[in-house]
Amino acid sequence: MIAFSELAASPFADWDGTPAAARILQKQLAEQVCLDDDFAPLRLLAGVDVGFEEGGTITRAAAILLDAQTLQPIAECVARIPTSMPYVPGLLSFRELPALIDALAGLPSEPDLIVVDGHGIAHPRGLGIAAHLGVVSGRPTIGVAKKILTGSHGELGEERGDKVELLDRQGRQIGWMLRSKRKVRPLIVSPGHRVSMATAAELVLSWDTGYRLPEPTRLADRLASRRDRKGPTLL
């Protein structure tokens, strides 16, 4: 694993900045994704969310560190940096990752697993922001998104915990449509790296505190909306 402080200096060492090269790199990194459970007992979780300010010229990333057992927040960090890449469909992780890594570098401890507001492998080239972050950092990650980026699925029940496979065009599972709360819109849950398909859904449900979003990304989303907050803060 690479420390986030080191990774922040050069998150895209093998990329020349062009969309064509980014797509090639995506395919190479997607081949490195591990979909087996490969993590120690969880002590610390991080929830992360990324957005944009000032017409997209500033990327704003929020990271929050939680106790994995109690889900109580321990520390938080918001990073704002100039946006280095225009919006290109399917390549959003290249736009978001630098600020996200800066925010994680500002936390006082390294998380054992990172929950990302975004997609894992449920991506046209198998490398959404959660998978991208997991492979370049070496850390276990899960993507929890609010909208489908790609894939199709069958009918989903309306009760909390109901889930159905999200499939790509070849019929391979790339995630879950998961009902996290009765009769609310489902979440798209997909493993990012070093987490299995089944465990990704189980963990997301275990972080339920009565809201649609699991607690790590719910708190990160709330932090991201507080535009007055910046830099690291111990809670």
Side-chain angles (χ1 to χ4, degrees), residues 117-128:
D117 188 323
H119 293 279
I121 66 167
H123 177 278
R125 284 178 290 278
L127 197 84

Side-chain angles (χ1 to χ4, degrees), residues 23 44 67 76 158 203 215 229:
R23 294 185 184 96
L44 296 174
D67 182 291
E76 62 187 34
E158 294 186 346
L203 286 175
E215 194 68 355
R229 181 61 62 86

Side-chain angles (χ1 to χ4, degrees), residues 4-224:
F4 288 112
S5 57
E6 296 178 18
L7 191 58
S10 182
F12 304 122
D14 298 322
W15 181 45
D16 66 5
T18 66
R23 294 185 184 96
I24 293 171
L25 182 56
Q26 271 186 332
K27 293 179 180 179
Q28 294 171 346
L29 294 175
E31 293 175 355
Q32 300 176 38
V33 167
C34 172
L35 296 181
D36 296 321
D37 290 328
D38 180 24
F39 55 88
L42 300 177
R43 300 172 300 105
L44 296 174
L45 302 173
V48 296
D49 189 17
V50 183
F52 297 89
E53 301 177 1
E54 300 182 21
T57 61
I58 299 296
T59 307
R60 185 174 190 271
I64 189 156
L65 190 70
L66 300 86
D67 182 291
Q69 302 305 312
T70 66
L71 299 180
Q72 291 300 304
I74 297 168
E76 62 187 34
C77 183
V78 173
R80 291 182 176 89
I81 66 170
T83 302
S84 58
M85 179 182 177
Y87 171 71
V88 179
L91 298 180
L92 191 59
S93 66
F94 288 84
R95 198 171 187 228
E96 295 182 342
L97 208 54
L100 180 51
I101 291 170
D102 275 5
L104 287 164
L107 297 176
S109 301
E110 296 276 354
D112 300 307
L113 186 147
I114 305 166
V115 193
V116 183
D117 188 323
H119 293 279
I121 66 167
H123 177 278
R125 284 178 290 278
L127 197 84
I129 180 68
H132 198 160
L133 173 65
V135 171
V136 299
S137 70
R139 286 167 178 75
T141 56
I142 296 173
V144 182
K146 306 177 187 74
K147 296 180 180 180
I148 291 179
L149 183 60
T150 188
S152 61
H153 61 88
E155 185 176 352
L156 175 63
E158 294 186 346
E159 299 301 320
R160 178 191 178 276
D162 286 345
K163 64 181 186 292
V164 65
E165 295 180 356
L166 181 67
L167 306 175
D168 67 10
R169 292 181 179 179
Q170 287 74 44
R172 297 172 299 195
Q173 186 178 6
I174 54 175
W176 299 99
M177 301 298 297
L178 175 67
R179 192 82 69 185
S180 58
K181 190 175 180 181
R182 187 173 184 268
K183 291 188 176 182
V184 302
R185 286 173 294 135
L187 300 172
I188 298 86
V189 176
S190 58
H193 185 51
R194 295 178 56 190
V195 180
S196 70
M197 192 70 68
T199 296
E202 291 170 3
L203 286 175
V204 168
L205 274 178
S206 76
W207 299 323
D208 166 47
T209 57
Y211 298 90
R212 180 190 179 211
L213 297 178
E215 194 68 355
T217 54
R218 187 186 77 85
L219 293 178
D221 181 79
R222 187 175 71 174
L223 176 61

